[in-house]
């Protein structure tokens, strides 16, 4: 079982690392890669793509999610984000919400550095009491007030 988990994570790690190597980050010099596994078991990866008009740049997570949608996936089983430097490259607030659209509170978010996995979070830990598709339903299942 541990081997299965390790194999799953190392495939995500490799995909995210390869995407990071393609990052377009000439302004921050901070390349980031992200890779996720969808409900079909397929891996999709993305990298940050910056822009001379700085706010237009996009994060690695956004690229991985766009690749998943274009590839027919609709659910994130696991996601891994990798960046250089000593600090954890946890997803920004907007990307937590992007992940939220396609994930559950228990969905693992692995944060890696070049040497390997550094920490494991869950979406629920990084974005508690979040707003998502269910909140738009007229019969909201979580009326915990
Ligand atoms: N960045 C990501 O792509 N993902 C993250 O989780 C954190 C930040 C990018 C955005 C920008 O291109 C660069 O890292 C510096 O903020």
């Amino acid at each position: 079982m541990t081997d299965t988990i390790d194999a799953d994570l190392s495939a995500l790690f490799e995909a995210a690392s390869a995407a990071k190597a393609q990052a377009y980050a000439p302004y921050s010099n901070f390349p980031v890669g992200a890779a996720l596994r969808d409900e079909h078991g397929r891996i999709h990866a993305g990298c940050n793509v910056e822009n001379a008009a700085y706010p237009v740049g996009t994060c690695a997570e956004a690229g991985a999610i766009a690749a998943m949608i274009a590839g027919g996936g609709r659910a994130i089983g696991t996601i891994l984000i990798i960046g250089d430097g000593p600090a954890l490259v946890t997803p920004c607030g907007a990307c937590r919400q992007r992940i939220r659209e396609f994930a559950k509170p228990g969905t693992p978010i692995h944060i890696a550095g070049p040497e390997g996995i550094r920490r494991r979070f869950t979406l629920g830990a990084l974005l508690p009491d979040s707003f998502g598709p269910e909140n738009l339903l007229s019969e909201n299942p979580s009326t915990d007030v």
Side-chain angles (χ1 to χ4, degrees):
M1 188 61 181
T2 308
D3 285 350
T4 312
I5 293 168
D6 289 350
D8 183 62
L9 274 185
S10 57
L12 285 176
F13 182 85
E14 293 306 323
S17 299
K20 179 170 81 70
Q22 302 299 334
Y24 178 75
Y27 307 109
S28 70
N29 286 312
F30 194 79
V32 180
L36 62 87
R37 195 179 287 278
D38 70 14
E39 76 275 29
H40 307 295
R42 290 195 284 258
I43 290 176
H44 306 279
C47 59
N48 50 339
V49 182
E50 298 184 347
N51 193 283
Y54 295 171
V56 180
T58 51
C59 286
E61 296 89 328
I65 290 169
M68 176 186 80
I69 296 300
R74 290 292 183 274
I76 299 172
T78 313
I79 184 166
L80 183 149
I81 299 134
I82 181 169
D84 299 328
L88 290 176
V89 183
T90 42
C92 74
C95 284
R96 293 176 195 206
Q97 186 67 32
R98 289 190 177 101
I99 295 167
R100 163 66 176 97
E101 185 72 15
F102 305 105
K104 297 191 168 70
T107 300
I109 299 177
H110 297 276
I111 308 301
E115 77 289 355
I117 308 289
R118 291 177 173 174
R119 282 241 348 232
R120 176 193 189 276
F121 296 91
T122 62
L123 173 64
L126 294 183
L127 194 68
D129 301 321
S130 62
F131 187 92
E134 317 79 62
N135 297 72
L136 294 173
L137 300 175
S138 53
E139 287 188 35
N140 186 346
S142 59
T143 48
D144 187 20
V145 286

